[in-house]
Amino acid sequence: MATSTTIEQKRGDVCPHQFAFMLDNWLRRLVQSPRKIVGEYINEGNTVLDVGCGPGYFTIDMAKMVGKSGKVIAADLQPQMLEKVRKKATKHNVLERLSFHRCEPGNIGLSTNVDFILAFYMIHETGDPKGFLMEMKRMLNPGGKLLIVEPKMHVSEELFKELVRDAENLGLKVVDYPKGKGGRSLLLTV
Ligand SMILES: C[S@@+](CC[C@H](N)C(=O)[O-])C[C@H]1O[C@@H](n2cnc3c(N)ncnc32)[C@H](O)[C@@H]1O
């Protein structure tokens, strides 16, 4: 019997914290500049969510972008990832701009209103993309933006289109399919 492939069926395992070094290193900085990827969406004073933040490759740069009056919420399933972010934030002197949130599998579990959300290489690791998008929609301030970037290696064009359809069915609006962000990319607003 033919079955359709869904993102749920294709979801991968969670990237283990032991592989954090693969997510924050000099090589990545050469090809994925955080400023080029998210700089255009963030202003000083903003409240930003880095969901599935991993070891904080984007978190620290975003904390610098929001300035002293802004806030960045670092959220991840793995406490070990959050601990790495905390150490880096201390080293970069931006700890007071950060808050930390440990997510549950299947539930991000935040209700703060935010101006910008980054979901970089993480939606394919969640078991429930629709539930995830619904939660993100509830958190966005009017005019707020959600940038999704998914790795081409793990997420086919077909699966990505399914994610776009899910987002639109939930009432999120597609602003852009930005280029040069490091994967299949989608900018949404409410
Ligand atoms: C491939 S890593 C990407 C990390 C980071 N966004 C980056 O680009 O460096 C994916 C991260 O998402 C987290 N993650 C996966 N599923 C999650 C979920 N349902 N809720 C919160 N975090 C999740 C994993 O623990 C992991 O740290």
Side-chain angles (χ1 to χ4, degrees), residues 14-15 23 28 50-55 57-58 75-78 81 103-106 108 120-122 124-127:
V14 169
C15 174
L23 293 166
R28 190 174 186 190
D50 189 1
V51 62
C53 62
Y57 178 73
F58 289 98
D76 205 283
L77 274 182
Q78 300 177 79
M81 290 294 202
C103 309
E104 299 292 330
I108 299 302
F120 203 99
Y121 290 180
M122 68 81 66
H124 66 284
E125 293 189 7
T126 69

Side-chain angles (χ1 to χ4, degrees), residues 30-47:
L30 288 182
V31 290
Q32 289 187 346
S33 152
R35 282 207 177 255
K36 280 193 189 145
I37 292 172
V38 296
E40 63 188 297
Y41 311 120
I42 297 175
N43 295 312
E44 263 196 61
N46 277 174
T47 300

Side-chain angles (χ1 to χ4, degrees), residues 68-149:
K68 282 188 177 154
S69 57
K71 274 274 165 211
V72 178
I73 307 164
D76 205 283
L77 274 182
Q78 300 177 79
Q80 296 92 338
M81 290 294 202
L82 296 177
E83 198 42 45
K84 288 179 197 300
V85 183
R86 188 185 299 279
K87 282 189 184 141
K88 267 179 222 170
T90 305
K91 188 173 148 204
H92 288 266
N93 209 20
V94 291
L95 186 62
E96 76 285 358
R97 301 176 197 179
L98 293 194
S99 62
F100 297 87
H101 175 77
R102 185 176 173 191
C103 309
E104 299 292 330
N107 179 23
I108 299 302
L110 280 163
S111 55
T112 322
N113 288 109
V114 301
D115 303 299
F116 177 68
I117 302 172
L118 176 66
F120 203 99
Y121 290 180
M122 68 81 66
I123 295 188
H124 66 284
E125 293 189 7
T126 69
D128 178 15
K130 281 183 215 160
F132 172 82
L133 289 169
M134 238 185 297
E135 276 197 83
M136 296 303 103
K137 185 184 171 202
R138 277 198 295 269
M139 292 183 69
L140 278 179
N141 279 328
K145 305 257 182 344
L146 162 60
L147 178 67
I148 293 170
V149 182

